[in-house]
Amino acid sequence: MLPKRYDSYDEAYENFSWDETWDIVEGDKESLNIGVECLDRHDGVCAHVLNTKEDTLSEYQFAEITEAANQFANLLDKKGVEKGERVVVNLDMSFEFLVSFFGTIKQGAVAVPCPEVFGPDAMAYRVQDSEPTIAIAPEDVDSDQFDETVEVITTQELSTQLEGLSQTYTSQTDAEDTAVVNYTSGTTGTPTPHAYRQKSLIYYAGMKDLMLDFSSEDKAFTTSSTGWGAGLWGGLLAPLVFGIPAGFLSGPFDAKKALEFIDDNDVNLLISVVPTALRKMVDAAEEMDQPPQIEKANYTGEPMPAELSRKVEELFGALPRSSYGASEMTGKVVLADQAFPDFESRHGSLGKPLPGNDVLIVDDDGNELPNGEVGRIAVRESDGLKLSEDAGLTDEDGYFWSKGRADDVILSSGYTIGPKEVEESLEKHPKVAVSGVIGVPDEELGNRVKAYIETDEAGTEELKDELKNFVREELGKHEYPREIEFIDKVPQTNNQKTQRIKLRELHESES
């Protein structure tokens, strides 16, 4: 689609305008609605959802979701919900999620998606922060996490309340109206709300198209939750606006079931998949006689080790393409592997700047660094530099490479150590299930590398020595963990990112 307009990446980078992405939708700046663009214009299959808890597969048509979403919009009108008021959708991917999410946006209210895995504290924080009028929740919802001012509607009650309402609705929103509030996953601290407008659809759909060159024959699948921006905008909305069926798992991630889903539903496109999930899918695929084959794959959320990238291509037939953005920088994707004819994706790279983005590596004072030097990834915009908290470098061909979070980088004996690299080395060891690495103060070294380890083995001193020697041989004597602690569970977000801030808090509590 969009990539076919250009013969090369350089031509696109020089000439592409994001105004071109308006061709994706039928609306304009005065009249635009995500629900209308993603549902009303299409027919056939809208979504496949595999519930991993109940082991059931559901298929939903565009027409049935459109009609029920219109009923939900009418329900909000009936309840007196005003344009711009918040509606929390505390559901995993399901018929009820699709109906209430799209119905909220159609009506002009603002959807706040929150997956069911959130505990009471996580939900209470989001409810207090977003101040919703209504919340759609599962049957077993803990009503104490909602203020008494919030009307809580369970999925069973929702079905009853929609009965008899009109299945048509005329949306009255424009491009600038707020449509969705997503919260960051809390990798580095308190989750932060990010508001997205109706026109955000155009950017995210266009961005994914530049990476993947969507086709009307595509069938998509993501492992990411709709409670996270990548799962919602990349996994759900970007495919649907092109009429491409979206595939989801609902419930705990199961790599074997994910691969069966891909095979049974002729999925050819993996989109917004996190590398941690891909690693588990690789492990499951290695036990299969014939893993399912795909044509295109896109990952996000964290860097992918080159070794894992090669394994994905070897087993599934597609080299995974990166997409990188940072909420603290611009809130949008700025680096990616792209689908232009001459673009060469490289295993483990973050790709190159998307058209319209001036991305560079800078030092702490904002000075641009030459190729090969580690600094912070930044974007130059009209009002100045926007700095990420991610460390990286560029190579001589203009590709960007991650070196972990800048605020997580460990300075030890004059060496700059990326914790992600140490984790990747540790997790190659067969006795390590999950690892989390931080730097802790050390009088002699400045900081020393400390690793927290999940293992099914006995956490012995012998195993500590074995792991230290393993990393020393894999990475070098300056990067191995001088200290190792075995714990039951390495803290991670819903998207399986290591929460190093919690590891640092754990270390401080033990000191």
Side-chain angles (χ1 to χ4, degrees):
M1 294 185 182
L2 288 175
K4 288 184 172 67
R5 299 180 180 184
Y6 298 93
D7 293 328
S8 70
Y9 168 75
D10 288 341
E11 180 192 357
Y13 191 77
E14 291 296 323
N15 299 294
F16 177 80
S17 167
W18 285 98
D19 288 340
E20 295 179 43
T21 58
W22 280 94
D23 295 345
I24 293 171
V25 298
E26 291 183 353
D28 53 32
K29 293 180 181 179
E30 285 70 41
S31 178
L32 182 69
N33 186 271
I34 290 172
V36 172
E37 300 293 345
C38 287
L39 297 180
D40 297 30
R41 301 186 300 144
H42 310 296
D43 54 25
V45 177
C46 170
H48 291 101
V49 180
L50 175 62
N51 187 313
T52 57
K53 287 186 285 191
E54 301 177 4
D55 203 21
T56 57
L57 177 65
S58 301
E59 178 181 285
Y60 306 118
Q61 302 289 316
F62 278 106
E64 65 177 318
I65 300 299
T66 300
E67 291 173 352
N70 288 340
Q71 287 181 307
F72 188 88
N74 283 307
L75 177 64
L76 295 184
D77 280 349
K78 180 180 177 182
K79 292 179 177 294
V81 174
E82 299 289 338
K83 184 178 181 179
E85 291 186 16
R86 272 49 173 169
V87 175
V88 164
V89 185
N90 181 204
L91 299 173
D92 290 340
M93 176 53 69
S94 58
F95 179 82
E96 292 82 6
F97 173 88
L98 292 167
V99 168
S100 51
F101 173 79
F102 282 115
T104 296
I105 294 174
K106 282 189 163 212
Q107 192 262 357
V110 178
V112 185
C114 299
E116 294 177 31
V117 71
F118 283 167
D121 289 347
M123 277 305 303
Y125 172 81
R126 288 160 174 78
V127 169
Q128 182 178 12
D129 185 74
S130 63
E131 299 181 329
T133 304
I134 289 175
I136 311 301
E139 291 303 304
D140 58 354
V141 63
D142 178 4
S143 58
D144 291 341
Q145 63 197 11
F146 295 99
D147 296 336
E148 58 183 20
T149 57
V150 181
E151 180 182 356
V152 179
I153 303 174
T154 66
T155 50
Q156 185 173 349
E157 294 167 342
L158 178 63
S159 177
T160 302
Q161 293 195 30
L162 293 182
E163 288 180 4
L165 295 178
S166 173
Q167 295 180 340
T168 62
Y169 194 84
T170 301
S171 297
Q172 297 180 345
T173 57
D174 62 39
E176 300 298 330
D177 286 332
T178 302
V180 178
V181 170
N182 275 124
Y183 284 79
T184 60
S185 54
T187 308
T188 57
T190 303
T192 304
H194 287 273
Y196 297 87
R197 299 176 183 180
Q198 298 283 351
K199 68 179 182 181
S200 298
L201 174 69
I202 299 165
Y203 168 76
Y204 281 96
M207 173 263 295
K208 286 296 186 184
D209 190 27
L210 289 176
M211 295 179 206
L212 295 164
D213 192 18
F214 286 134
S215 161
S216 60
E217 303 301 314
D218 284 338
K219 293 182 179 179
F221 173 75
T222 185
T223 62
S224 298
S225 164
T226 49
W228 183 41
L232 184 71
W233 294 94
L236 179 67
L237 301 182
L240 291 191
V241 75
F242 289 100
I244 296 168
F248 279 84
L249 299 184
S250 179
F253 178 71
D254 185 308
K256 183 178 179 181
K257 290 181 179 179
L259 294 179
E260 291 172 351
F261 179 101
I262 291 167
D263 202 22
D264 293 345
N265 293 279
D266 298 322
V267 169
N268 72 318
L269 167 61
L270 299 183
I271 189 167
S272 293
V273 178
V274 294
T276 303
L278 276 173
R279 184 179 290 107
K280 294 178 180 178
M281 292 165 69
V282 162
D283 290 342
E286 288 181 324
E287 299 179 3
M288 301 174 69
D289 293 333
Q290 180 57 56
Q293 298 299 287
I294 57 174
E295 298 172 14
K296 296 174 281 189
N298 158 248
Y299 70 93
T300 189
E302 61 186 17
M304 179 179 289
E307 181 181 348
L308 175 60
S309 178
R310 293 187 184 94
K311 204 70 177 175
V312 170
E313 183 178 27
E314 174 190 330
L315 289 168
F316 304 125
L319 193 158
R321 303 174 189 176
S322 171
S323 54
Y324 165 84
S327 58
E328 70 272 7
M329 187 165 55
T330 64
K332 62 183 182 181
V333 171
V334 296
L335 294 170
D337 291 314
Q338 295 156 60
F340 302 109
D342 68 333
F343 195 99
E344 176 192 353
S345 296
R346 296 186 177 179
H347 293 292
S349 166
L350 297 177
K352 293 184 178 182
L354 279 170
N357 294 285
D358 183 8
V359 191
L360 58 161
I361 303 294
V362 300
D363 62 21
D364 289 339
D365 295 321
N367 301 307
E368 185 170 3
L369 295 173
N371 294 336
E373 289 197 21
V374 176
R376 292 170 69 179
I377 300 174
V379 173
R380 184 184 286 122
E381 298 202 323
S382 58
D383 58 346
L385 279 178
K386 306 293 184 184
L387 273 65
S388 76
E389 294 296 337
D390 291 316
L393 58 79
T394 54
D395 64 21
E396 64 277 7
D397 297 319
Y399 289 84
F400 283 69
W401 300 83
S402 172
K403 291 297 176 181
R405 293 288 288 186
D407 49 359
D408 289 334
V409 167
I410 303 165
L411 298 177
S412 181
S413 293
Y415 293 101
T416 300
I417 301 169
K420 188 69 180 174
E421 190 174 28
V422 182
E423 290 169 354
E424 290 167 1
S425 178
L426 282 164
E427 289 171 10
K428 292 178 184 177
H429 194 285
K431 296 179 183 178
V432 175
V434 181
S435 67
V437 169
I438 59 172
V440 300
D442 187 282
E443 290 185 4
E444 181 181 348
L445 304 173
N447 290 279
R448 66 180 181 276
V449 178
K450 179 174 182 178
Y452 288 89
I453 303 292
E454 276 184 49
T455 180
D456 294 331
E457 306 289 325
T460 62
E461 292 300 319
E462 288 77 11
L463 180 55
K464 288 182 182 181
D465 291 339
E466 181 179 336
L467 296 176
K468 289 177 183 179
N469 290 330
F470 180 80
V471 177
R472 185 187 286 112
E473 293 176 5
E474 284 278 322
L475 292 180
K477 62 181 181 181
H478 66 292
E479 290 192 80
Y480 79 93
R482 308 294 181 106
E483 183 178 353
I484 289 179
E485 183 173 333
F486 298 106
I487 58 175
D488 293 335
K489 186 74 174 175
V490 172
Q492 294 181 318
T493 68
N494 294 327
N495 303 310
Q496 298 172 315
K497 294 182 183 180
T498 302
Q499 291 180 302
R500 298 187 217 284
I501 189 170
K502 291 190 175 181
L503 292 178
R504 286 191 282 269
E505 290 171 353
L506 177 60
H507 173 78
E508 290 171 4
S509 69
E510 297 168 339
S511 300

